[in-house]
């Protein structure tokens, strides 16, 4: 085993996901402790341009048509051979449907330990991860064998995994990928016509405290005055009051707006983990003990229905709108 930290780059439609850069930031912190290098692992077809701003010492590129889109079968086969051959100290996967699929199967297949939901590494390189849906953080040893980890956002910023320099590129051969049991038949685009909340700079996010679907109009009016859009926690989406495309959280989207204004959201771990990249979280909640106040920069213990009219009027006044 060597002391290098490998990062399996997640990408879709020609773009590396933010979590890939977050993992590279985490890998750098860990590699400084293990004394190894940060090695990005890029599987795909014609994706070499993605390496340009990665903060890695090396990038292992495996280029093959069967790797053009993620399939568990092709990715597992490729990574199983690569990890067994290289024996890095740790391999980081995104805590996503792709990362969960790969890390779980590879852990069983290669008989390697797996630490899931790792958020960051301590000053001495110990993984700090979430258990019980984020209610408890655990600091553990990094086992003395190649260890697989899935990483969640919140510990490192994407910029920490980016650099102006192009890393050394090493091309690797793909294994035989002609007997795959799973192949991609069709790529289905996400619902068209709605906004992409992961790219919006201002989000007014409503939770169960909004009480009824009709009350959403107030949030819409506030969002419009602020130049933002409305997003929601899971109970609001589960009720069918807002489309899934507006869901923030573990089962929805990770967001990183300049302003994330929450109205009647308690701040459960499954919601909180997806908003940690926000520049400013502002919380409105009637319960002073709501966990959302632990992560908000500004907060007010107030009934949102006492706030809407005054706040909308104030925002419009500031902007000279009547
Ligand atoms: C596997 C799994 C995945 C999940 N994925 C997600 C996910 O993607 N996104 C997500 O959001 N949740 C997710 N959840 C659910 C999560 O655990 C919480 O149940 C959910 O986030 C709670 O939503 P909430 O804060 O809107 O509701 P609650 O927790 O019920 O909080 C409502 C809040 O509103 C406040 N309030 C009530 N009335 C008012 C008022 N008039 N003015 C101001 N404040 C008021 C209350 O004090 C309370 O804090 C997931 C759970 C699991 C197990």
């Amino acid at each position: 085993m060597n002391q290098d930290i490998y990062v399996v780059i997640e990408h879709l439609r020609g773009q590396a996901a933010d979590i890939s850069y977050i993992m590279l930031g985490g890998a750098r912190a860990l590699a400084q402790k293990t004394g190894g290098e940060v090695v990005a692992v890029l599987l795909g077809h014609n994706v070499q341009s993605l390496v340009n701003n990665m903060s890695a010492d090396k990038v292992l590129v495996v280029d093959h048509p069967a790797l053009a889109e993620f399939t568990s079968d092709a990715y597992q086969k490729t990574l199983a051979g690569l990890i067994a051959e290289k024996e890095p100290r740790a391999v980081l996967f995104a805590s996503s449907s792709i990362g969960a699929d790969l890390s779980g199967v590879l852990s069983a297949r290669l008989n390697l330990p797996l630490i899931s939901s790792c958020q960051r590494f301590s000053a001495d390189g110990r993984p700090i991860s979430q258990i019980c849906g984020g209610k408890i953080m655990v600091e553990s040893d990094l086992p003395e064998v190649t260890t697989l980890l899935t990483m969640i956002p919140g510990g490192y910023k994407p910029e920490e995994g980016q650099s102006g320099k192009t890393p050394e590129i090493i091309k690797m051969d793909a294994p035989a990928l002609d007997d795959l049991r799973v192949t991609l038949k069709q790529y289905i685009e996400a619902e068209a016509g709605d906004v992409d909340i992961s790219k919006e700079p201002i989000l007014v996010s409503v939770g169960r405290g909004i009480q009824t679907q009709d009350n959403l109009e107030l949030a819409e009016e506030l969002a419009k005055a602020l130049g933002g859009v409305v997003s929601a926690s899971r109970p609001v989406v589960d009720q069918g009051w807002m489309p899934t495309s507006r869901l923030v959280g573990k089962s929805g989207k990770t967001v990183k707006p300049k302003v994330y204004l929450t109205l009647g959201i308690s701040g459960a771990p499954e919601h909180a983990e997806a908003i940690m990249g926000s520049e400013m979280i502002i919380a409105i909640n009637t319960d002073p003990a709501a966990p959302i106040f632990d992560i908000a920069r500004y907060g007010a213990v107030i009934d949102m229905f006492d706030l809407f009219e005054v706040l909308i009027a104030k925002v419009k006044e500031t902007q000279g709108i009547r």
Side-chain angles (χ1 to χ4, degrees):
M1 182 181 71
N2 61 63
Q3 295 302 316
D4 294 345
I5 311 301
Y6 280 32
V7 175
V8 177
I9 299 299
E10 207 162 286
H11 58 92
L12 187 66
R13 316 255 94 188
Q15 271 207 312
D18 269 357
I19 188 69
S20 298
Y21 298 109
I22 289 171
M23 290 193 289
L24 287 169
R28 181 65 65 198
L30 182 57
Q32 275 161 5
K33 292 295 144 203
T34 62
E37 292 191 314
V38 174
V39 181
V41 180
L42 181 60
L43 274 49
H45 188 44
N46 298 330
V47 284
Q48 200 164 312
S49 60
L50 289 179
V51 308
N52 288 343
N53 61 344
M54 284 179 193
S55 172
D57 299 305
K58 287 178 191 145
V59 185
L60 304 183
V61 179
V62 189
D63 188 297
H64 191 284
L67 298 169
E69 305 280 356
F70 170 78
T71 64
S72 183
D73 208 3
Y75 271 56
Q76 269 176 46
K77 272 196 176 140
T78 309
L79 287 169
L82 196 141
I83 294 168
E85 179 196 327
K86 302 279 182 187
E87 295 187 30
R89 180 69 203 272
V91 186
L92 311 189
F93 297 85
S95 178
S96 61
S97 48
I98 292 177
D101 178 328
L102 290 172
S103 59
V105 172
L106 290 168
S107 168
R109 191 163 162 177
L110 301 172
N111 196 23
L112 296 175
L114 168 62
I115 298 175
S116 56
S117 303
C118 174
Q119 193 188 53
R120 59 188 190 277
F121 298 98
S122 69
D124 53 356
R126 287 156 60 84
I128 299 175
S129 48
Q130 285 187 351
I131 59 167
C132 300
K135 290 190 173 63
I136 301 173
M137 299 301 288
V138 178
E139 192 173 316
S140 52
D141 289 328
L142 187 64
E144 292 293 333
V145 290
T146 298
T147 301
L148 313 182
L149 299 100
T150 61
M151 297 283 295
I152 58 171
Y156 305 94
K157 292 198 181 312
E159 303 82 67
E160 293 177 68
Q162 291 168 346
S163 122
K165 293 188 215 147
T166 303
E168 182 190 349
I169 296 170
I170 299 171
K171 292 187 179 168
M172 308 272 299
D173 290 331
L177 294 174
D178 40 17
D179 59 343
L180 299 174
R181 290 162 300 170
V182 180
T183 52
L184 185 89
K185 292 263 186 235
Q186 188 194 356
Y187 184 86
I188 300 170
E189 292 285 350
E191 292 168 46
D194 199 19
V195 290
D196 180 354
I197 55 168
S198 67
K199 299 204 168 70
E200 288 291 327
I202 299 177
L203 291 175
V204 172
S205 211
V206 290
R208 203 195 305 267
I210 195 77
Q211 293 172 9
T212 67
Q213 187 168 17
D214 288 347
N215 288 336
L216 280 172
E217 263 179 43
L218 294 162
E220 294 282 1
E221 196 181 343
L222 176 58
K224 194 171 165 209
L226 288 167
V229 298
V230 177
S231 56
S233 69
R234 188 152 154 184
V236 176
V237 173
D238 283 350
Q239 295 275 359
W241 297 346
M242 296 215 73
T244 314
S245 55
R246 302 290 182 107
L247 173 62
V248 176
K250 194 185 218 39
S251 6
K253 288 197 170 154
T254 295
V255 297
K256 44 179 182 166
K258 286 188 188 312
V259 178
Y260 190 72
L261 170 61
T262 71
L263 300 163
I265 289 181
S266 59
E270 294 83 4
H271 189 87
E273 71 174 51
I275 64 174
M276 297 309 285
S278 305
E279 277 180 40
M280 186 194 293
I281 299 171
I282 306 172
I284 306 298
N285 199 302
T286 44
D287 176 7
I292 191 74
F293 289 124
D294 296 339
I295 54 171
R297 170 113 53 105
Y298 300 105
V301 178
I302 183 173
D303 187 323
M304 71 172 102
F305 299 106
D306 292 337
L307 185 75
F308 278 119
E309 201 179 320
V310 205
L311 187 57
I312 292 166
K314 196 76 195 164
V315 173
K316 287 184 176 173
E317 184 190 311
T318 318
Q319 296 171 345
I321 305 166
R322 300 218 167 251

